[in-house]
Amino acid sequence: MRCYICGLKREGKCTMVKKIIIGILAVVGGIFLVFGIIVGFFLVSDFKQEDKLETEIEGFWEMTYKLETLDYEEVYARANRVVTKDDYALVERAMKAYIWDIFENNIKILSLLADENISNVLSSENYAADGPDFPKTKEYIRHMRSEFQECKREHKELAAEDRMMSYVEKYDLDSYYLDFYRERMDIVRSWDSDGEFEGQIDILLDWMDSFETVISFLEENKGKWEIVNDYLTFEDDELTEQYEALLDGIFEDEAPEEEYEESYGEIPLDEEGTGLIQL
């Protein structure tokens, strides 16, 4: 019987989950960078209501951007208050509702990634606890895939002009206010025009498929492997090589550390350097 241990090299590298989180956070931050363009529209206006709306929306953006100090209840309260009057109040409600839905969908993705179980699916601990048939693991993967698919669907819908305009068109407003809303929210709508954020979601969906393939392999070969003292062991070298090939398929698309640093800045090191497979 050949003993096989699988995990990322313990060289202080960030885990794949952490890299994806960093990538998504960086892209989410990009939403709020476009607000400087939005403000430019407001600043040329002499209307008091538009000035109030500028200040309110700018403050709302800033609250949703500061994820490290995010107070969800405070953001929710800000989203539901109205500081303008008459037709501008309706425009304000529409803008905040649209921005809120984008924010909430992005926060949902980050919340899913914060689930520690996502990095424990391919761990020896999980193999021992849920194998060899893996009923809980398979249900967990199905659930996470469904959640990520729903987030992707919502992301694409929010980027559609019809969806964007639906927030304001439900009010009986003059065309001036509709155009006022459209020219500002068009900038927000196009925040992921390069598809980078959607690409991150696709990576997560690919993960779920790969995790499912590995779990199915172990289920199909039950009785031919076991966990001994936190070591995954197979009864022959051929199964070991097949298992290793499956894991290589997961890790081979992992971008080099230099590429992540170029795109998102320096990657914080994991002090203990753990991998997806915990030993």
Side-chain angles (χ1 to χ4, degrees), residues 234-268:
F234 289 95
E235 66 178 23
D236 59 55
D237 291 352
E238 182 179 356
L239 288 176
T240 298
E241 292 170 359
Q242 291 177 23
Y243 178 77
E244 184 176 18
L246 291 176
L247 293 184
D248 287 344
I250 298 175
F251 297 139
E252 66 181 359
D253 293 329
E254 182 181 0
E257 198 163 292
E258 294 78 7
E259 181 179 328
Y260 269 85
E261 291 180 356
E262 181 179 349
S263 300
Y264 307 123
E266 183 178 356
I267 299 173

Coordinates of all heavy atoms in Angstrom, one line a residue, residues 234-268:
F234 N -3.8 5.0 -0.7 CA -4.4 4.2 -1.7 C -3.8 2.8 -1.8 O -2.6 2.6 -1.4 CB -4.3 4.8 -3.1 CG -5.1 6.0 -3.3 CD1 -4.6 7.3 -3.1 CD2 -6.5 6.0 -3.6 CE1 -5.4 8.4 -3.2 CE2 -7.2 7.1 -3.8 CZ -6.7 8.4 -3.6
E235 N -4.5 1.8 -2.3 CA -4.0 0.5 -2.3 C -3.0 0.2 -3.4 O -2.3 -0.8 -3.4 CB -5.1 -0.5 -2.5 CG -5.9 -0.5 -3.8 CD -7.0 -1.6 -3.8 OE1 -7.4 -2.0 -2.8 OE2 -7.3 -1.9 -5.0
D236 N -2.9 1.1 -4.4 CA -1.9 0.9 -5.5 C -1.5 2.3 -6.1 O -2.2 3.3 -5.9 CB -2.4 0.0 -6.6 CG -3.7 0.5 -7.3 OD1 -3.7 1.7 -7.7 OD2 -4.7 -0.2 -7.3
D237 N -0.4 2.3 -6.8 CA 0.2 3.5 -7.4 C -0.7 4.1 -8.4 O -0.8 5.3 -8.6 CB 1.5 3.2 -7.9 CG 2.6 2.9 -6.9 OD1 2.2 3.1 -5.7 OD2 3.7 2.5 -7.2
E238 N -1.4 3.3 -9.2 CA -2.3 3.8 -10.3 C -3.4 4.7 -9.7 O -3.6 5.8 -10.3 CB -2.9 2.6 -11.0 CG -3.7 3.1 -12.2 CD -4.3 1.9 -13.0 OE1 -4.0 0.8 -12.7 OE2 -5.1 2.2 -13.9
L239 N -4.0 4.3 -8.7 CA -5.0 5.2 -8.1 C -4.4 6.5 -7.5 O -5.0 7.5 -7.6 CB -5.8 4.4 -7.0 CG -6.7 3.3 -7.4 CD1 -7.3 2.6 -6.2 CD2 -7.8 3.8 -8.3
T240 N -3.3 6.3 -6.9 CA -2.6 7.5 -6.4 C -2.3 8.5 -7.5 O -2.5 9.7 -7.4 CB -1.2 7.1 -5.8 OG1 -1.5 6.3 -4.7 CG2 -0.5 8.3 -5.3
E241 N -1.8 8.0 -8.7 CA -1.5 8.9 -9.8 C -2.8 9.5 -10.4 O -2.8 10.7 -10.8 CB -0.8 8.1 -10.9 CG 0.6 7.6 -10.5 CD 1.2 6.7 -11.4 OE1 0.5 6.3 -12.4 OE2 2.4 6.2 -11.2
Q242 N -3.9 8.8 -10.4 CA -5.2 9.3 -10.9 C -5.7 10.4 -10.0 O -6.1 11.5 -10.4 CB -6.2 8.2 -11.0 CG -5.9 7.2 -12.1 CD -7.0 6.0 -12.1 OE1 -8.1 6.2 -11.6 NE2 -6.6 4.9 -12.6
Y243 N -5.5 10.2 -8.7 CA -6.0 11.2 -7.7 C -5.1 12.5 -7.9 O -5.6 13.6 -7.9 CB -5.8 10.6 -6.3 CG -6.2 11.6 -5.2 CD1 -7.5 11.9 -4.9 CD2 -5.2 12.2 -4.4 CE1 -7.9 12.7 -3.9 CE2 -5.5 13.0 -3.4 CZ -6.9 13.3 -3.1 OH -7.2 14.2 -2.1
E244 N -3.8 12.3 -8.0 CA -2.9 13.4 -8.1 C -3.2 14.2 -9.4 O -3.2 15.4 -9.4 CB -1.5 12.9 -8.2 CG -0.4 14.0 -8.3 CD 1.0 13.5 -8.2 OE1 1.2 12.2 -8.5 OE2 1.9 14.2 -7.9
A245 N -3.6 13.5 -10.5 CA -3.9 14.2 -11.7 C -5.2 15.0 -11.6 O -5.2 16.1 -12.1 CB -4.1 13.1 -12.8
L246 N -6.1 14.6 -10.8 CA -7.3 15.3 -10.5 C -7.0 16.6 -9.8 O -7.5 17.7 -10.1 CB -8.4 14.5 -9.7 CG -9.0 13.3 -10.5 CD1 -9.9 12.6 -9.5 CD2 -9.8 13.8 -11.7
L247 N -6.1 16.5 -8.8 CA -5.7 17.7 -8.0 C -4.9 18.6 -8.9 O -5.1 19.9 -8.8 CB -5.0 17.3 -6.8 CG -5.7 16.5 -5.7 CD1 -4.8 16.2 -4.5 CD2 -7.0 17.2 -5.3
D248 N -4.1 18.1 -9.8 CA -3.3 19.0 -10.7 C -4.2 19.8 -11.5 O -3.9 20.9 -11.9 CB -2.4 18.1 -11.5 CG -1.2 17.5 -10.8 OD1 -0.9 18.1 -9.7 OD2 -0.5 16.6 -11.3
G249 N -5.4 19.2 -11.9 CA -6.3 19.9 -12.7 C -6.9 21.1 -12.0 O -7.3 22.1 -12.6
I250 N -7.0 21.0 -10.7 CA -7.5 22.1 -9.9 C -6.5 23.2 -9.7 O -6.8 24.4 -9.9 CB -8.0 21.6 -8.5 CG1 -9.1 20.6 -8.6 CG2 -8.4 22.8 -7.6 CD1 -9.5 20.0 -7.3
F251 N -5.2 22.8 -9.5 CA -4.2 23.8 -9.2 C -3.5 24.3 -10.4 O -2.9 25.4 -10.3 CB -3.1 23.1 -8.3 CG -3.7 22.7 -7.0 CD1 -3.3 21.4 -6.4 CD2 -4.6 23.4 -6.2 CE1 -3.8 21.0 -5.2 CE2 -5.1 23.0 -5.0 CZ -4.7 21.8 -4.5
E252 N -3.6 23.7 -11.6 CA -2.8 24.1 -12.7 C -3.2 25.5 -13.2 O -2.4 26.2 -13.8 CB -2.9 23.1 -13.8 CG -4.3 23.0 -14.5 CD -4.4 22.0 -15.6 OE1 -3.3 21.4 -15.8 OE2 -5.5 21.8 -16.2
D253 N -4.5 25.9 -13.0 CA -4.9 27.2 -13.4 C -4.7 28.3 -12.4 O -5.1 29.4 -12.6 CB -6.4 27.2 -13.8 CG -6.7 26.3 -14.9 OD1 -5.9 26.2 -15.8 OD2 -7.8 25.7 -15.0
E254 N -4.1 27.9 -11.3 CA -3.8 28.9 -10.3 C -2.8 29.9 -10.8 O -1.7 29.6 -11.3 CB -3.2 28.3 -9.0 CG -3.0 29.2 -7.9 CD -2.4 28.5 -6.7 OE1 -2.2 27.3 -6.8 OE2 -2.1 29.2 -5.7
A255 N -3.1 31.2 -10.9 CA -2.3 32.2 -11.4 C -1.0 32.4 -10.6 O -1.1 32.3 -9.3 CB -3.0 33.6 -11.5
P256 N 0.1 32.7 -11.2 CA 1.3 32.9 -10.4 C 1.2 34.0 -9.5 O 0.4 35.0 -9.7 CB 2.4 33.2 -11.5 CG 1.8 32.7 -12.8 CD 0.3 32.8 -12.6
E257 N 1.9 34.0 -8.4 CA 1.8 35.0 -7.4 C 2.1 36.4 -7.9 O 1.5 37.4 -7.6 CB 2.8 34.7 -6.2 CG 2.5 35.4 -4.9 CD 3.2 34.7 -3.8 OE1 2.9 33.6 -3.4 OE2 4.2 35.3 -3.3
E258 N 3.1 36.4 -8.9 CA 3.5 37.7 -9.5 C 2.3 38.3 -10.2 O 2.2 39.5 -10.2 CB 4.7 37.5 -10.4 CG 6.0 37.1 -9.7 CD 6.0 35.6 -9.3 OE1 5.1 34.9 -9.8 OE2 6.9 35.2 -8.6
E259 N 1.5 37.5 -10.9 CA 0.4 38.0 -11.7 C -0.6 38.6 -10.8 O -1.2 39.6 -11.1 CB -0.2 36.8 -12.5 CG -1.4 37.3 -13.4 CD -1.9 36.1 -14.2 OE1 -1.2 35.2 -14.5 OE2 -3.1 36.1 -14.4
Y260 N -0.9 38.0 -9.6 CA -1.9 38.5 -8.7 C -1.4 39.8 -8.1 O -2.1 40.8 -8.0 CB -2.1 37.5 -7.5 CG -3.3 36.6 -7.8 CD1 -3.1 35.4 -8.6 CD2 -4.6 36.9 -7.4 CE1 -4.1 34.6 -8.8 CE2 -5.6 36.1 -7.7 CZ -5.4 34.9 -8.4 OH -6.5 34.1 -8.7
E261 N -0.1 39.9 -7.8 CA 0.5 41.1 -7.2 C 0.4 42.3 -8.2 O 0.2 43.4 -7.9 CB 1.9 40.9 -6.8 CG 2.0 40.0 -5.6 CD 3.4 39.7 -5.1 OE1 4.4 40.2 -5.8 OE2 3.6 39.0 -4.1
E262 N 0.6 41.9 -9.5 CA 0.6 43.0 -10.6 C -0.8 43.5 -10.7 O -1.0 44.7 -10.9 CB 1.0 42.4 -11.9 CG 1.0 43.4 -13.0 CD 1.5 42.8 -14.3 OE1 2.1 41.6 -14.3 OE2 1.4 43.4 -15.4
S263 N -1.8 42.6 -10.6 CA -3.2 43.0 -10.7 C -3.8 43.7 -9.5 O -4.6 44.6 -9.6 CB -4.1 41.8 -11.1 OG -3.6 41.3 -12.3
Y264 N -3.5 43.1 -8.3 CA -4.2 43.5 -7.1 C -3.3 44.1 -6.0 O -3.8 44.5 -5.0 CB -5.0 42.3 -6.5 CG -5.8 41.6 -7.5 CD1 -5.7 40.3 -7.8 CD2 -6.8 42.4 -8.2 CE1 -6.5 39.7 -8.8 CE2 -7.6 41.8 -9.2 CZ -7.5 40.4 -9.4 OH -8.3 39.8 -10.3
G265 N -2.0 44.0 -6.2 CA -1.1 44.5 -5.2 C -0.5 43.3 -4.4 O -0.8 42.1 -4.8
E266 N 0.3 43.6 -3.5 CA 1.0 42.5 -2.7 C 0.1 41.6 -2.0 O -0.9 42.0 -1.4 CB 2.0 43.1 -1.7 CG 2.8 42.1 -1.0 CD 3.8 42.7 0.0 OE1 3.9 44.0 0.0 OE2 4.5 42.0 0.7
I267 N 0.3 40.3 -2.1 CA -0.5 39.3 -1.5 C 0.0 39.0 -0.1 O 1.2 38.7 0.1 CB -0.5 38.0 -2.3 CG1 -1.0 38.2 -3.7 CG2 -1.3 36.9 -1.6 CD1 -0.9 37.0 -4.6
P268 N -0.8 39.2 0.9 CA -0.4 38.9 2.3 C 0.0 37.4 2.5 O -0.8 36.5 2.0 CB -1.6 39.3 3.2 CG -2.7 39.2 2.3 CD -2.2 39.6 0.9

